[in-house]
Structures are given as C-alpha cells and as structure tokens.
Amino acid sequence: EYRWHLLRARRAQDAGDLDAALRDLDEAERTFYPTPVPDVRPIPALRACVQLAAGRRAEAEAWAAARGLAPDDPPSYLREFEQLVLARILLARFRAVGDAPALETALELLDRLERHAEAQGRSASVTEILVVRALVHDAAGDVPAAGAALARALALAEPEGWLRAFTREGAPMRPLLRSAGPRTPFARAVAAAMPGRDGDAA
C-alpha cells in the first residue's frame, strides 16, 4: 500500500495535480513501516518538493528547519536527497523574494554534493544534482553555465533513458531546454515528454 501511494503521488505530480500528490504522500506516510534498509528519499522530503512546486515555500522551509538542515552540512549519501531539496528551497527563495545570496549558497551546496556523488560513482545522483544546478544557473541569468550543466545531465541520463529527471521539473525546465539544451535526439525526447509543453524545445 505504501509503494502504491508513492506511485500515485508521482503520477499526480507529473500530471500537475499537486493537491492529489500531497494527499497520496500523506497516505504513503501513514502506511510506511521502517525496514533495516535506509530510506534515502523520505516522504517528508518528497512532500517538501511538491510543496515547492505548489508555491508553498514556507512549509518546505519549515520542514528543512525542523530537520536541522543547513547548507554547510557535509555531504552524506543518506541525507543527499534532503540536502538537494534544501538547494531547491534556496532556489525558490530567490524566485520569490530575489534573495541573490541564496543562489550562491545553493551553488556552493551543489558543488559539494556533486563532488561527493562523483567520487562514489553515483551517476544517477550526479544527474539529479546537475539538473538542479542548471536551474540555479538559469535563475541567475548565467545561460552558458546552465547549458553546460544541462548538457552533462542529459548525457548521463541518456543511457538509462531517464526522462523523468527532467520532466518532473515542469514549467522551469521547458524554456531552459529551448534556450540552453543541446540539440540531440535524447534532448528532443525529453522535450517531447514534458507535460503541458508549449511547442517543441528542439
């Protein structure tokens, strides 16, 4: 039941029904039973991502504060996803109130996470980190840096066909693909898979 609700939440988020996604995450949390296997993508962190997409930044920030997350925490695989959500929160803060230092802090955090994931050979993690890095550079107006991060992420994701690493970003990813994305078959496949796309990004 737990995994079923997680799948429903993911599908609802991909479809843009964020309220339904949050309801299913609540149900997933209700039916979750801890196991000896570490939960590296905990439900509260997933919920914070959906809250950010829904414009509920204050709730996501409250979660990060309650978890004691700080941008200068050392990288940790077990908390990597939570730290990546923190970078997203910093990006959302800039978008909401123009807090430029938040972008610099996010990039410093992403630098540490990327080096740590690369040193351990975790390409899926590096891809996800690069996607957020591309969005942060784009928000800062640094199109070349955004394009470089996006190109690396696409190259890493292509062998596995990992479209969702990009499509789940929704509206902010569409113009980035158009303006900075490489013109490769996989990039075109990502653009075609974007929900609610408004034209071909290739």
Side-chain angles (χ1 to χ4, degrees), residues 1 12 16 40 80 89 102 107 115-116 126 138 153-154 161 182-183 196:
E1 188 176 0
V40 296
E80 180 180 86
I89 290 172
L107 286 173
R115 287 195 299 269
H116 188 253
V126 175
D138 185 56
L154 287 163
R183 302 302 189 255

Side-chain angles (χ1 to χ4, degrees), residues 64-184:
R67 285 291 292 156
L69 292 171
D72 56 356
D73 289 340
S76 163
Y77 171 66
L78 294 180
R79 300 195 76 180
E80 180 180 86
F81 182 69
E82 292 181 313
Q83 292 172 315
L84 194 54
V85 176
L86 179 59
R88 292 176 179 277
I89 290 172
L90 293 166
L91 172 58
R93 186 183 302 164
F94 170 78
R95 287 173 172 161
V97 299
D99 183 359
L103 287 186
E104 297 176 9
T105 302
L107 286 173
E108 292 169 359
L109 172 57
L110 292 167
D111 283 341
R112 292 192 297 275
L113 293 178
E114 185 180 342
R115 287 195 299 269
H116 188 253
E118 283 188 329
Q120 296 184 348
R122 294 185 285 106
S123 60
S125 291
V126 175
T127 301
E128 193 168 10
I129 293 163
L130 286 168
V131 168
V132 179
R133 175 187 288 282
L135 292 170
V136 172
H137 281 306
D138 185 56
D142 191 343
V143 175
L150 182 59
R152 283 191 62 209
L154 287 163
L156 285 171
E158 183 173 5
E160 301 298 328
W162 194 19
L163 299 173
R164 194 170 183 268
F166 309 90
T167 59
R168 67 184 168 199
E169 301 301 330
M173 181 56 63
R174 288 195 294 271
L176 183 55
L177 280 167
R178 283 196 299 269
S179 64
R183 302 302 189 255
T184 65

Side-chain angles (χ1 to χ4, degrees), residues 15-105:
D17 191 348
L18 301 180
D19 288 337
L22 289 169
R23 287 194 298 270
D24 271 299
L25 286 174
D26 288 343
E27 286 302 305
E29 190 169 43
R30 184 182 64 80
T31 56
F32 174 72
Y33 292 95
T35 71
V37 179
D39 184 11
V40 296
R41 298 177 82 90
I43 292 171
L46 293 170
R47 183 186 293 115
C49 282
V50 179
Q51 288 168 339
L52 289 174
R56 293 160 57 172
R57 177 175 56 91
E59 294 173 58
E61 288 186 333
W63 161 79
R67 285 291 292 156
L69 292 171
D72 56 356
D73 289 340
S76 163
Y77 171 66
L78 294 180
R79 300 195 76 180
E80 180 180 86
F81 182 69
E82 292 181 313
Q83 292 172 315
L84 194 54
V85 176
L86 179 59
R88 292 176 179 277
I89 290 172
L90 293 166
L91 172 58
R93 186 183 302 164
F94 170 78
R95 287 173 172 161
V97 299
D99 183 359
L103 287 186
E104 297 176 9
T105 302

